Amino acid sequence: MRQLLVSCVISLLCINLGFSQAPKKNSSTEIYHSLQKLNFLGSALYIAAHPDDENTRLISYLSNNLKAKTAYLSLTRGDGGQNLIGPEIREQLGVLRTQELLGARSKDGGEQFFSRANDFGYSKHPDETLAIWNKEEVLGDVVQIIRQYKPDVIINRFNHRTPGTTHGHHTTSAMLSVEAFDLVNDANAYPEQLKLTETWQPKRMFFNTSWWFYGSEEAFNKADKSKLMKLDVGVFYPILGVSNNEIAALASSQHLCQGFGRISTRGSQDEYIELLKGDMPKGDDIFEGINTTWSRIDGGDAIGKILNKVEENFNFKNPSSHLPELIEAYKLLQKSTDKHWKNIKSKELENIITAVAGLYLEANANYTNSTPSGNFKVSIEALNRSTANIVLKSVNVGTTTLTPNILLENNTKQNLTLDVAVPADTKYTSPYWLMEKGTLGMYTVKDKKLIGKPETPRAFNADFELSINNYTLTITKPVVYHYSKPDKGELYRPFEVLPEASVGIKDKVIIFSDESSKQIPVTVKALADDISGEIELTFSKGWKVANAKQNFNIKKRGDSKTITFTVTPPNSESEGSILPVVKINGKELNKELVVISYDHIPTQSVLLPSEAKVVRLDIKKTGKNIGYITGAGDKIPESLEQIGYNVSTIDPNNINTASLKGFDAIVVGIRAYNVVDQLKFKQHFLLDYVKNGGNLVIQYNTAGRSKLGVDNLAPYPLELSRDRVTNEFAEVTILAKDHPVVNTPNKITPNDFNNWVQERGLYFPNKWGKEFTPILAMADKGEEAKKGSILIAAYGKGNYVYTGISFFRELPAGVPGAYKLFANLLSLPKKK
């Protein structure tokens, strides 16, 4: 029962605005908590490299215990990782993780920022990281975000003094943060930023250390702690009914695509921060010596006198009784010349005024999206659930304004309707960092005002002009799409501006294993009613397309039409591209709409280039039928089907001797033994399959028995490690030159390792039995060669293969050599 109550309180305390965009509904205790934060004028910025790097315990402690304005700056959006809950990788994964971070912040009370750095994958050293990131641009982003956010305190997640001991992105985030600390107050550093912001100097910088950074608890206990502060972040919040660690667990559990869902914890817990810059605080208050009261701003004494009295005498039974004082404080705040705190505290006060009055204000569009030059209807709901004198003077959406000038009587709902025209030059509401082509290490953002923002500002908001106790103020709410589903209940979606049509090719890489033509379906989806035009398939030199231009017509928004083109490859091996272009009323559209939809984030509409890569291979293979056991999710099955294999998904629950018969080879998906519990009970069937003459290819799993979930991963001794080769251009040496896997049916040469993407491989075994043959050797710069990327052992009549090669990245990217090598793994000869 207590767990249920805690869950309910948490869900009210920290409603995840990312979850379907549901409006926040505040209880009296939440309003009081907001008042406490309103009366604290101090801020902290936590800096690291990726989604999930942040310490949610410390962020929640700063926000909910100290009441500080708190934010997390993640240099990247986590594009280079893996996805445990769906098929999104790279840019789409970055969009998903962005929303998960926003969900985490809605739980722990923080804000969220990003730089333009692209998470290109694992990096072993800051030198490698900064060879791919543009240091000046990323450093400039950090400087700009600090100048705009104006934190009093900065806390780094990682140690800037130990390059090479952890992920290169991690150390780089700390190094850039330390460098930025000394630049943000220098007008000669990034002077162009001063058109948008101004110089600033944080008071202190810390490193969020722990025994882990010292190598052991014993070493940490012996270390000099004169510059360390100890904070007990396990505090209990009686007014909220939960502890800080319970809030932190809910926040980190938002990172579902990384498998971070975890049980909540309670009790005392120490966090340590080491002073790097500035003066050491006296006592255990990191804001010691910093004025965090209303007297910090001009005119603040009078404001503080009012608001501190409201906090001290807060009426939990009737919060609206404080409206006169809150309005008076708001009036005084508008006279302040401190633009920074004036903007921040005005917004906070507006939210509190709205909450104590029980005001419900909603702008609901009649559809999820409209188009430039289109139009839509907005249903307005306005409700005053207090006895306060509140008049709705006007409502404005875009260029449309209504002036009802009606009294909002207690608990009497008012409904209005607006017809809104979308200007022709309205920008699409796709993730702004994906609108222009970037580089391996950087996203391109031309509008510098967008740098740092977690997502694209919405094109349409509703401005409600209200008179509250004869004082006029404007409350802004986003336009949303509010609807319900029988199996989901009440839902909200962001309202978006999208093009008239989306065009896409299902497979982003299309493999031609010989000179035969293929029928390529191209799908046009209408995002407006009654669209017609022409679709043309453009293509690279050497490739041919029959009937490259075709007409189409789609009557209804949401409907789609598939048009087929015949594509013929060159006679010899070649790589090229095809790009569908839709022409409607003189406008060319070549973006595909990708919708990312999960229950724990708001639905995301992402416009991506509709271009597809086409690859002509001379590839040979033996066998036809492949069984695939899905792991954490990859696109290997689709890739194998493109070169002519019949791929059947194997349900782990149904694995037995009979179910495995008939497969020429079985492939186990990435991290399957980490995420599929049933495999530990079915492993003996898989090994028997090999023994009886099958080929089993197991792709990478993370190291550690507790993570692996099975003791007998292989028929012979095999130990996984954290060894990896992160440089996709690292030299590869073929060790077993006479082994069938590099000779038949495709001859593998060093050239087949050209033009790989992101990395060579990860979590290679570092110890194995004499029965295994290592096939390849490779190494990152300055390291010893790693020989565990592909290990093959004969077992009974068949072949057991373990590989840490990143085929899950290379095959979907259309890397020819990776296809040939994987086909050879599946074609290994068996004993008769």
Side-chain angles (χ1 to χ4, degrees):
M1 183 63 179
R2 179 183 182 278
Q3 186 176 6
L4 176 61
L5 289 173
V6 168
S7 176
C8 292
V9 172
I10 284 280
S11 65
L12 288 171
L13 161 67
C14 304
I15 280 214
N16 184 353
L17 295 178
F19 182 75
S20 302
Q21 294 293 292
K24 187 172 183 179
K25 302 176 179 70
N26 293 286
S27 66
S28 291
T29 56
E30 292 163 329
I31 296 171
Y32 180 72
H33 189 60
S34 298
L35 264 171
Q36 291 178 310
K37 289 186 174 184
L38 179 68
N39 286 329
F40 188 93
L41 279 71
S43 55
L45 180 64
Y46 198 89
I47 298 179
H50 309 107
D52 83 3
D53 284 345
E54 82 274 25
N55 185 339
T56 56
R57 295 183 300 273
L58 192 50
I59 289 176
S60 179
Y61 175 85
L62 293 167
S63 175
N64 296 302
N65 187 60
L66 300 186
K67 310 299 187 294
K69 181 177 169 62
T70 308
Y72 173 43
L73 167 56
S74 175
L75 293 194
T76 77
R77 296 175 185 266
D79 320 66
Q82 286 92 51
N83 184 358
L84 292 183
I85 63 173
E88 294 84 10
I89 59 173
R90 292 305 310 157
E91 294 87 355
Q92 295 179 46
L93 180 59
V95 174
L96 171 56
R97 289 189 172 182
T98 293
Q99 292 302 316
E100 289 186 337
L101 267 178
L102 288 171
R105 298 294 77 75
S106 74
K107 297 296 185 186
D108 59 32
E111 299 175 66
Q112 186 62 53
F113 299 112
F114 295 95
S115 81
R116 288 171 290 172
N118 188 353
D119 179 6
F120 55 83
Y122 192 86
S123 163
K124 293 181 177 178
H125 197 279
D127 290 346
E128 179 186 349
T129 300
L130 294 174
I132 297 176
W133 288 355
N134 183 317
K135 180 189 174 183
E136 286 306 307
E137 290 186 358
V138 182
L139 177 61
D141 291 356
V142 177
V143 169
Q144 179 174 324
I145 292 163
I146 293 174
R147 284 173 170 172
Q148 291 175 334
Y149 191 68
K150 292 181 168 52
D152 299 303
V153 174
I154 294 176
I155 303 175
N156 293 337
R157 183 69 183 104
F158 299 104
N159 191 348
H160 68 287
R161 299 159 296 195
T162 55
T165 59
T166 182
H167 197 319
H169 297 180
H170 292 169
T171 311
T172 301
S173 71
M175 292 167 62
L176 295 180
S177 175
V178 169
E179 190 170 348
F181 187 94
D182 297 326
L183 294 176
V184 292
N185 202 30
D186 182 356
N188 294 317
Y190 300 98
E192 71 282 356
Q193 294 179 4
L194 301 182
K195 298 175 184 176
L196 303 174
T197 184
E198 59 190 3
T199 57
W200 174 252
Q201 186 55 61
K203 179 77 170 178
R204 301 182 180 103
M205 172 175 278
F206 295 95
F207 158 46
N208 184 194
T209 190
S210 69
W211 68 261
W212 187 88
F213 290 97
Y214 288 76
S216 68
E217 292 189 53
E218 182 181 5
F220 179 68
N221 292 333
K222 295 178 180 178
D224 176 14
K225 296 184 179 59
S226 59
K227 289 191 175 183
L228 265 61
M229 293 182 65
K230 183 171 74 171
L231 308 172
D232 184 355
V233 298
V235 292
F236 177 68
Y237 304 127
I239 191 172
L240 303 176
V242 292
S243 69
N244 187 74
N245 284 344
E246 287 173 297
I247 295 174
L250 282 171
S252 63
S253 290
Q254 298 307 299
H255 298 297
L256 295 183
C257 75
Q258 301 183 73
F260 267 48
R262 62 186 178 94
I263 195 168
S264 60
T265 59
R266 288 149 292 279
S268 178
Q269 182 170 356
D270 292 333
E271 284 285 344
Y272 291 87
I273 54 175
E274 176 190 355
L275 182 71
L276 298 178
K277 290 180 178 289
D279 60 324
M280 189 71 178
K282 299 173 183 176
D284 58 359
D285 179 9
I286 67 173
F287 287 97
E288 186 273 327
I290 300 170
N291 186 359
T292 59
T293 70
W294 278 104
S295 65
R296 181 170 190 163
I297 66 173
D298 64 295
D301 285 327
I303 300 169
K305 186 176 181 181
I306 296 171
L307 294 176
N308 286 316
K309 185 177 179 181
V310 172
E311 180 184 338
E312 184 179 348
N313 301 293
F314 187 70
N315 188 337
F316 286 88
K317 291 185 177 180
N318 182 21
S320 65
S321 65
H322 297 296
L323 263 177
E325 299 108 301
L326 294 172
I327 293 294
E328 183 60 29
Y330 189 88
K331 289 180 186 178
L332 294 174
L333 181 57
Q334 304 319 300
K335 299 176 182 179
S336 176
T337 59
D338 189 319
K339 293 182 179 179
H340 177 70
W341 284 110
K342 174 183 172 181
N343 291 337
I344 292 169
K345 295 303 177 180
S346 290
K347 185 63 179 175
E348 291 181 20
L349 251 177
E350 289 167 10
N351 291 335
I352 292 173
I353 289 170
T354 303
V356 299
L359 268 171
Y360 186 86
L361 305 170
E362 180 179 287
N364 177 27
N366 65 330
Y367 203 75
T368 58
N369 66 281
S370 187
T371 62
S373 300
N375 53 72
F376 62 100
K377 291 183 180 295
V378 177
S379 299
I380 298 296
E381 180 181 340
L383 179 63
N384 169 23
R385 290 169 288 191
S386 73
T387 58
N389 184 336
I390 302 177
V391 175
L392 176 60
K393 298 177 71 174
S394 69
V395 182
N396 174 263
V397 179
T399 57
T400 303
T401 302
L402 284 181
T403 54
N405 206 36
I406 52 176
L407 177 67
L408 298 180
E409 297 180 354
N410 181 28
N411 213 29
T412 301
K413 183 170 60 174
Q414 295 291 337
N415 293 108
L416 306 166
T417 303
L418 291 84
D419 291 309
V420 181
V422 183
D425 60 352
T426 304
K427 294 182 179 179
Y428 303 137
T429 46
S430 183
Y432 69 85
W433 62 96
L434 299 179
M435 296 305 289
E436 302 285 341
K437 186 175 178 62
T439 65
L440 175 62
M442 299 295 297
Y443 284 118
T444 298
V445 179
K446 291 184 177 179
D447 186 352
K448 304 306 179 187
K449 295 190 294 294
L450 293 173
I451 291 174
K453 292 184 181 298
E455 54 186 347
T456 302
R458 294 294 162 185
F460 288 95
N461 294 292
D463 295 322
F464 294 83
E465 186 185 16
L466 302 164
S467 172
I468 303 179
N469 291 351
N470 297 315
Y471 179 76
T472 300
L473 79 162
T474 299
I475 304 296
T476 300
K477 297 288 184 178
V479 175
V480 297
Y481 177 61
H482 183 184
Y483 65 111
S484 67
K485 284 187 175 182
D487 60 336
K488 297 284 188 181
E490 186 177 43
L491 298 169
Y492 292 80
R493 277 186 63 168
F495 176 77
E496 299 164 322
V497 176
L498 299 171
E500 290 85 346
S502 160
V503 58
I505 301 173
K506 179 185 176 183
D507 296 315
K508 295 309 170 193
V509 175
I510 303 170
I511 306 297
F512 293 75
S513 56
D514 54 34
E515 67 276 7
S516 301
S517 300
K518 281 191 176 185
Q519 301 295 306
I520 306 300
V522 178
T523 299
V524 180
K525 183 174 183 178
L527 303 178
D529 288 330
D530 195 17
I531 64 167
S532 60
E534 180 185 73
I535 179 169
E536 178 181 3
L537 192 64
T538 62
F539 49 92
S540 298
K541 184 179 180 180
W543 294 75
K544 297 178 182 178
V545 177
N547 54 336
K549 295 182 180 180
Q550 300 183 47
N551 296 322
F552 72 93
N553 175 260
I554 305 175
K555 289 294 183 184
K556 238 179 139 179
R557 179 205 305 251
D559 286 350
S560 60
K561 187 170 186 178
T562 299
I563 300 163
T564 302
F565 295 87
T566 302
V567 178
T568 304
N571 293 329
S572 58
E573 291 195 345
S574 175
E575 295 184 38
S577 64
I578 52 176
L579 174 68
V581 178
V582 169
K583 298 177 182 179
I584 302 174
N585 297 327
K587 183 188 291 188
E588 290 192 354
L589 305 173
N590 59 8
K591 299 284 188 181
E592 178 183 9
L593 174 63
V594 176
V595 177
I596 302 175
S597 179
Y598 293 96
D599 284 346
H600 67 300
I601 66 166
T603 300
Q604 297 296 295
S605 295
V606 186
L607 294 171
L608 295 174
S610 54
E611 184 178 54
K613 181 180 179 180
V614 286
V615 182
R616 161 73 167 93
L617 289 178
D618 283 323
I619 192 166
K620 304 178 183 66
K621 59 187 185 299
T622 61
K624 187 75 173 177
N625 299 315
I626 306 298
Y628 202 86
I629 300 172
T630 303
D634 57 52
K635 294 186 177 181
I636 298 291
E638 299 91 327
S639 300
L640 296 180
E641 287 173 344
Q642 289 216 42
I643 58 173
Y645 284 108
N646 295 326
V647 182
S648 301
T649 300
I650 299 174
D651 183 346
N653 293 301
N654 297 332
I655 292 176
N656 55 45
T657 301
S659 69
L660 302 181
K661 287 182 178 179
F663 291 119
D664 298 302
I666 292 174
V667 180
V668 181
I670 61 171
R671 297 178 66 178
Y673 292 92
N674 301 136
V675 299
V676 182
D677 291 337
Q678 300 96 316
L679 284 181
K680 63 185 173 184
F681 305 112
K682 304 293 186 174
Q683 180 69 354
H684 66 98
F685 290 116
L686 292 173
L687 295 181
D688 284 346
Y689 164 79
V690 179
K691 192 173 184 179
N692 293 327
N695 283 343
L696 177 66
V697 179
I698 296 178
Q699 298 181 84
Y700 95 95
N701 289 267
T702 53
R705 176 169 293 186
S706 61
K707 294 182 179 180
L708 195 57
V710 64
D711 293 327
N712 58 333
L713 179 65
Y716 308 114
L718 183 71
E719 292 186 21
L720 305 187
S721 73
R722 299 184 65 85
D723 288 352
R724 61 201 303 162
V725 176
T726 61
N727 183 358
E728 64 268 37
F729 306 110
E731 183 179 353
V732 176
T733 301
I734 298 175
L735 298 174
K737 295 181 179 180
D738 296 328
H739 197 282
V741 79
V742 293
N743 290 287
T744 183
N746 304 287
K747 180 68 176 177
I748 304 299
T749 72
N751 290 336
D752 288 308
F753 297 95
N754 294 339
N755 301 316
W756 284 44
V757 299
Q758 189 159 330
E759 61 192 353
R760 291 295 190 194
L762 65 172
Y763 293 102
F764 297 160
N766 61 354
K767 293 180 181 178
W768 52 83
K770 64 181 187 320
E771 296 86 356
F772 283 102
T773 300
I775 305 301
L776 306 173
M778 57 188 72
D780 283 322
K781 184 179 178 180
E783 296 184 356
E784 291 185 4
K786 309 223 171 10
K787 300 179 181 180
S789 60
I790 297 180
L791 298 172
I792 301 175
Y795 180 59
K797 298 178 181 179
N799 299 285
Y800 175 97
V801 179
Y802 187 91
T803 177
I805 293 287
S806 295
F807 288 110
F808 72 101
R809 297 195 191 280
E810 310 310 322
L811 298 193
V815 177
Y819 270 94
K820 292 179 181 179
L821 183 54
F822 206 91
N824 283 10
L825 291 174
L826 300 178
S827 303
L828 284 169
K830 307 163 189 177
K831 292 182 182 178
K832 294 183 180 180

